[in-house]
């Protein structure tokens, strides 16, 4: 664990035997009351990023497109303003919070102090409902922690984490006392998920430079192996009349997981699965028996573009995961499917 995370109220239990809320009220209270802005290099300045402002939204989208992925990779996620608007503008009735709890209080930025005030760092978060074991809670989930590619040796990432935690603590309401950080970090994770990929369009992946066959024989056999399957289960696109049934399916299916998202209103469910996502239902004799959803994401690799179907949720109540997966792959025009878990 790094020196930074040792000073924070996070789990230090590497054996994974501890369970429950971290009992470190003093540290949490110190973070909450802290009115001291995080110290940064003199040539930089903090900026509140208002994700409701179209100009700032576009600036953040372009910044993430250019700098979000690892320096060792040429691939970049093609973030759009529509995607960021969808991510940060959650339904107003989903969380019982006062006006201070808005998209403008959920993101911080670092700008150069001179000249054009260029954005060199960004860190955002959004509230989510989760269940951990038998405990339900509202937490902030950290997303899009990003530092300009030419400034990654300045130690700015911990500063962005600390400042966002301070800002959220200043407006802490509605029982939100925790922030979840996805991705690899130096602290002890409270859960881990494997990242799984299922190629679909091998010629496109090959031309984009993200897959290369070892021989002509392997190309032919792999094209046959990863050809788009035919689903043995009937499925169709989810309609608005299916929302109540699908919410019930997700609620039932999520009980088998130790950590799971919770959707408290139909408006929240519709926003998550029907606005930007592609969602489908699997039917049996006309009755909805399972549900799957994915988010199409554009990836740029040099001059080439590929589409990833990022799975949001699959229920497997009456449909085996292999059959649900076939239906999902058959439903999409993406070049590859990505899933966390299962």
């Amino acid at each position: 664990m790094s020196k930074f995370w040792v000073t924070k109220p996070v789990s230090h239990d590497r054996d994974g035997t501890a369970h429950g809320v971290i009992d470190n009220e003093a540290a949490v209270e110190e973070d909450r009351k802290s009115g001291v802005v995080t110290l940064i290099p003199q040539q930089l300045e903090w900026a509140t990023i208002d994700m409701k402002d179209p100009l700032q939204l576009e600036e953040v989208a372009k910044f993430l497109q250019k700098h979000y992925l690892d320096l060792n990779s040429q691939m970049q996620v093609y973030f759009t303003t529509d995607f960021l608007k969808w991510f940060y503008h959650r339904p107003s009735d989903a969380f019982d919070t006062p006006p201070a709890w808005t998209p403008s209080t959920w993101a911080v930025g670092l700008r150069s102090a001179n000249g054009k005030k260029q954005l060199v760092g960004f860190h955002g978060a959004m509230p989510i409902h989760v269940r951990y074991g038998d405990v339900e809670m509202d937490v902030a989930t950290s997303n899009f922690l990003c530092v300009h590619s030419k400034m990654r040796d300045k130690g700015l990432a911990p500063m962005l984490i600390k400042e966002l935690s301070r800002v959220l603590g200043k407006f802490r309401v509605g029982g939100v006392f925790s922030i979840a950080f996805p991705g690899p970090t130096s602290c002890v994770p409270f859960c881990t998920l494997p990242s799984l990929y299922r190629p679909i369009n091998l010629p496109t992946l090959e031309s984009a430079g993200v897959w290369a066959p070892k021989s002509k024989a392997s190309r032919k056999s792999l094209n046959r192996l990863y050809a788009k399957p035919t689903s043995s289960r009937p499925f169709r696109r989810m309609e608005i009349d299916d929302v109540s049934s699908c919410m019930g399916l997700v609620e039932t299916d999520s009980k088998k997981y130790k950590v799971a998202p919770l959707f408290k209103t139909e408006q929240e469910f519709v926003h998550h699965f029907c606005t930007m996502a592609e969602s489908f239902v699997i039917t049996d004799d006309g009755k909805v028996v399972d549900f799957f959803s994915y988010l199409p994401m554009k990836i740029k690799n040099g001059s080439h573009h590929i589409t990833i179907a990022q799975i949001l949720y699959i229920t497997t109540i009456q449909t085996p995961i292999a059959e649900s997966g076939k239906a999902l792959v058959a439903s999409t025009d993406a070049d590859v499917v990505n899933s966390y878990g299962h």
Side-chain angles (χ1 to χ4, degrees):
M1 181 175 287
S2 70
K3 295 179 180 179
F4 172 78
W5 288 108
V6 167
T7 65
K8 299 301 172 185
V10 299
S11 173
H12 297 170
D13 174 41
R14 289 199 173 275
D15 295 329
T17 56
H19 175 71
V21 178
I22 299 170
D23 187 13
N24 197 337
E25 294 183 5
V28 172
E29 187 68 11
E30 181 181 349
D31 269 3
R32 188 185 71 81
K33 290 184 176 180
S34 175
V36 180
V37 177
T38 306
L39 293 177
I40 53 177
Q42 190 173 6
Q43 68 271 27
L44 302 178
E45 63 184 23
W46 288 113
T48 299
I49 306 298
D50 187 351
M51 302 302 284
K52 294 183 296 182
D53 180 356
L55 292 179
Q56 293 188 58
L57 200 66
E58 184 176 3
E59 180 185 23
V60 171
K62 290 181 178 179
F63 178 75
L64 293 176
Q65 287 174 20
K66 190 172 183 179
H67 301 289
Y68 189 61
L69 286 192
D70 192 279
L71 279 173
N72 296 323
S73 173
Q74 294 183 0
M75 296 204 306
Q76 299 167 314
V77 180
Y78 190 78
F79 290 103
T80 65
T81 54
D82 285 342
F83 171 80
L84 293 177
K85 187 184 297 183
W86 166 76
F87 185 85
Y88 279 100
H89 293 197
R90 302 298 174 94
S92 59
D93 67 345
F95 290 83
D96 183 19
T97 57
W101 202 258
T102 67
S104 61
T105 62
W106 283 87
V108 296
L110 277 173
R111 296 188 182 278
S112 56
N114 302 315
K116 297 181 179 179
K117 305 289 184 180
Q118 180 185 8
L119 189 65
V120 298
F122 176 82
H123 192 194
M126 277 306 294
I128 59 171
H129 306 294
V130 297
R131 175 186 53 76
Y132 183 81
D134 55 359
V135 178
E136 295 184 8
M137 65 186 80
D138 293 342
V139 304
T141 175
S142 160
N143 275 283
F144 313 127
L145 172 60
C146 183
V147 175
H148 193 288
S149 57
K150 293 183 178 180
M151 301 192 70
R152 294 186 179 176
D153 59 347
K154 309 296 183 184
L156 300 182
M159 299 176 191
L160 285 161
I161 293 172
K162 185 176 181 181
E163 180 63 10
L164 183 64
S165 301
R166 186 193 70 82
V167 171
L168 294 184
K170 182 179 178 181
F171 294 104
R172 186 170 288 145
V173 289
V176 178
F177 289 97
S178 302
I179 304 179
F181 292 91
T185 66
S186 298
C187 61
V188 178
F190 74 93
C191 71
T192 57
L193 293 171
S195 180
L196 308 174
Y197 290 89
R198 199 287 189 187
I200 301 175
N201 192 338
L202 293 184
T204 297
L205 298 177
E206 182 180 3
S207 64
V210 298
W211 173 78
K214 295 181 179 179
S215 65
K216 290 184 179 180
S218 65
R219 176 189 282 110
K220 186 175 181 179
S221 60
L222 287 173
N223 280 334
R224 185 167 56 250
L225 176 65
Y226 289 114
K228 184 174 288 192
T230 300
S231 174
S232 63
R233 306 295 174 99
F235 67 89
R236 60 171 172 80
R237 190 173 295 275
M238 188 181 81
E239 300 173 352
I240 196 67
D241 292 340
D242 301 318
V243 170
S244 180
S245 298
C246 291
M247 280 187 69
L249 291 171
V250 170
E251 181 180 0
T252 299
D253 187 80
S254 66
K255 291 178 181 178
K256 63 189 177 187
Y257 301 111
K258 187 175 182 179
V259 182
L262 300 174
F263 301 95
K264 295 187 176 181
T265 69
E266 288 193 3
Q267 185 182 6
E268 183 185 6
F269 190 89
V270 167
H271 176 83
H272 194 77
F273 292 112
C274 302
T275 308
M276 293 288 290
E278 301 283 344
S279 297
F280 296 80
V281 295
I282 297 175
T283 60
D284 183 9
D285 197 23
K287 180 183 177 182
V288 175
V289 296
D290 272 304
F291 160 83
F292 61 86
S293 180
Y294 59 86
L295 183 69
M297 299 287 292
K298 293 288 186 181
I299 304 291
K300 182 179 179 181
N301 189 36
S303 60
H304 298 278
H305 291 81
I306 62 174
T307 303
I308 291 181
Q310 177 64 59
I311 296 178
L312 297 180
Y313 206 98
I314 299 180
T315 68
T316 55
I317 297 173
Q318 296 189 34
T319 311
I321 184 61
E323 292 302 321
S324 294
K326 283 183 180 180
L328 188 150
V329 173
S331 73
T332 182
D333 293 325
D335 302 306
V336 62
V337 173
N338 177 223
S339 172
Y340 292 101
H342 284 296

